[in-house]
Amino acid sequence: MKRALNFNAGPAALPEAVLAKAEKEMMNYRSSGMGVMELSHRSKEFEDINEQTMNLMRSLLSIPDDYEILFLQGGASLQFTMVPMNLLEEGSSASYVLTGTWAEKALKEAQKIGNAVIAASSKDVNYRSIPSTSKFDIPDDSSYLHITTNNTIYGTQWHSFPESLPTPLVADMSSDILSRPLNLSSFGLIYAGAQKNLGPSGVTVVIIHKDLLKRSKTGLPSMLNYQVQAASKSLYNTPPTLSIYFLKLVLEWAEALGGVKQLEMMNKEKAALLYDAIDRSDGFYKGHAEKPSRSLMNITFTLANEDLTSAFLQEAEESGFIGLAGHRSVGGCRASTYNAVPFENVEKLADFMNRFRNRN
Ligand SMILES: *Cc1c(COP(=O)(O)O)cnc(C)c1O
């Protein structure tokens, strides 16, 4: 069977070993005579899956005990609403760093809930870089500061995080969670839709410090209340059982590989192949991001004109590469090289880029 050379931005490639394991267990999960999606979410089998997935998450990301892990639905996009609903305190404001389209959306949703302001922005440079921490303008009454650690569309990434902030740091890590080690203590809340680096779509991971849980007001709709979700171990209602099971398989795969340190090394090697192809092309390919802000997950680049870009994308498709067109809002090209994208596939793409350049 031939597998695609999948560079999709999300939903994205899953590890082959994970798909194979899921296939094997599809008809009969651990002698239950049922597939995972047929199990009751109140069954011992599923409760174990839920708990083991949380434990794996905790050990892989070294999440301290004073943080809760939640598995929610609604994607990262619902977190744009839930974060301000739960954390934005009466009479205060929320601060947002704008580094791309997702950050803009997060701000827009927060403004529907309360007073949300811009602490810094790189919009004036077409989101080619991450703003310097020294330029943040955070009001004294700020309830939290929101950042987007990896900007999936523009291909930029934070390589260090603001420290000693006067307010809790909230991060949308949808497209780079589990790609590198983290010092959790710098963050108050992290959220990530699973479909980039963690598994299939359908589950959203939220990691929240217990102190912040106390801010959730009892009057909030139960499904949108972090405290309610935490108290029920994310089993308040029927969870996305199959997505959580896949998340568990992906985390087991990551653990067997050697964890986030190993993944980070592999991600650096993969990204370097493509950035080298760009940097050694004498301007044939132009990287969108400024070098210090380059993403290890989404490599964005342009060619001299529309015709050349179309020819590149067309030939790439004919050669079996999937998902290389840039996001519709920015154009150009984008290769997403998440954890599950094999090194060999990235090597093939770098080769293809070099050959295409030589021919044109
Ligand atoms: C994909 C993405 C989102 C949107 O995720 P959904 O799960 O589709 O809501 C938000 N933020 C970032 C950084 C993303 O990459």
Side-chain angles (χ1 to χ4, degrees), residues 282-325:
D282 288 326
F284 184 83
Y285 301 110
K286 281 203 175 63
H288 177 79
E290 280 177 15
K291 283 186 184 174
S293 297
R294 280 176 164 178
S295 168
L296 300 183
M297 299 278 98
N298 312 95
I299 288 100
T300 49
F301 55 94
T302 54
L303 289 86
N305 56 53
E306 289 276 329
D307 287 348
L308 207 51
T309 308
S310 311
F312 176 85
L313 291 172
Q314 165 115 30
E315 282 186 37
E317 197 179 318
E318 286 161 11
S319 306
F321 297 99
I322 305 288
L324 290 177

Side-chain angles (χ1 to χ4, degrees), residues 71-104:
F71 296 151
L72 308 180
Q73 299 192 61
S77 298
L78 185 59
Q79 295 311 305
F80 297 165
T81 302
M82 278 181 77
V83 165
M85 257 189 166
N86 285 267
L87 303 188
L88 181 42
E89 294 165 306
E90 200 81 33
S92 80
S93 61
S95 303
Y96 282 72
V97 180
L98 297 190
T99 50
T101 312
W102 294 116
E104 285 179 4

Side-chain angles (χ1 to χ4, degrees), residues 9-10 74-78 80 102-103 148-153 172-175 191-196 201 203-204 298 338:
S77 298
L78 185 59
F80 297 165
W102 294 116
T148 312
T149 55
N150 184 73
N151 299 282
T152 327
I153 293 173
D172 176 357
M173 285 198 190
S174 293
S175 51
Y191 63 91
Q195 68 274 21
K196 276 98 185 207
S201 60
V203 60
T204 305
N298 312 95
Y338 300 122

Side-chain angles (χ1 to χ4, degrees), residues 50-65:
N50 199 49
E51 194 180 322
Q52 284 162 17
T53 312
M54 287 181 185
N55 291 343
L56 277 162
M57 198 86 209
R58 196 175 286 284
S59 77
L60 274 165
L61 285 178
S62 311
I63 303 172
D65 287 340

Side-chain angles (χ1 to χ4, degrees), residues 197-213:
N197 233 353
L198 291 178
S201 60
V203 60
T204 305
V205 174
V206 174
I207 302 165
I208 179 173
H209 194 282
K210 286 178 179 165
D211 287 349
L212 288 182
L213 270 182

Side-chain angles (χ1 to χ4, degrees), residues 187-303:
F187 298 90
L189 185 151
I190 288 168
Y191 63 91
Q195 68 274 21
K196 276 98 185 207
N197 233 353
L198 291 178
S201 60
V203 60
T204 305
V205 174
V206 174
I207 302 165
I208 179 173
H209 194 282
K210 286 178 179 165
D211 287 349
L212 288 182
L213 270 182
K214 295 181 193 137
R215 290 193 192 173
S216 302
K217 288 181 217 74
T218 40
L220 287 179
S222 306
M223 282 294 290
L224 304 180
N225 186 322
Y226 289 134
Q227 226 178 80
V228 170
Q229 296 284 1
S232 59
K233 297 193 161 59
S234 303
L235 296 171
Y236 177 79
N237 74 326
T238 317
T241 52
L242 191 69
S243 299
I244 293 169
Y245 161 74
F246 265 97
L247 171 56
K248 174 170 170 273
L249 296 183
V250 170
L251 296 175
E252 284 169 349
W253 168 83
E255 189 179 52
L257 265 182
V260 282
K261 270 217 169 92
Q262 181 66 22
L263 285 165
E264 180 183 44
M265 210 180 76
M266 292 160 71
N267 288 329
K268 280 185 176 163
E269 285 173 1
K270 288 187 290 180
L273 285 175
L274 299 185
Y275 285 125
D276 278 355
I278 292 168
D279 293 340
R280 295 189 186 152
S281 71
D282 288 326
F284 184 83
Y285 301 110
K286 281 203 175 63
H288 177 79
E290 280 177 15
K291 283 186 184 174
S293 297
R294 280 176 164 178
S295 168
L296 300 183
M297 299 278 98
N298 312 95
I299 288 100
T300 49
F301 55 94
T302 54
L303 289 86

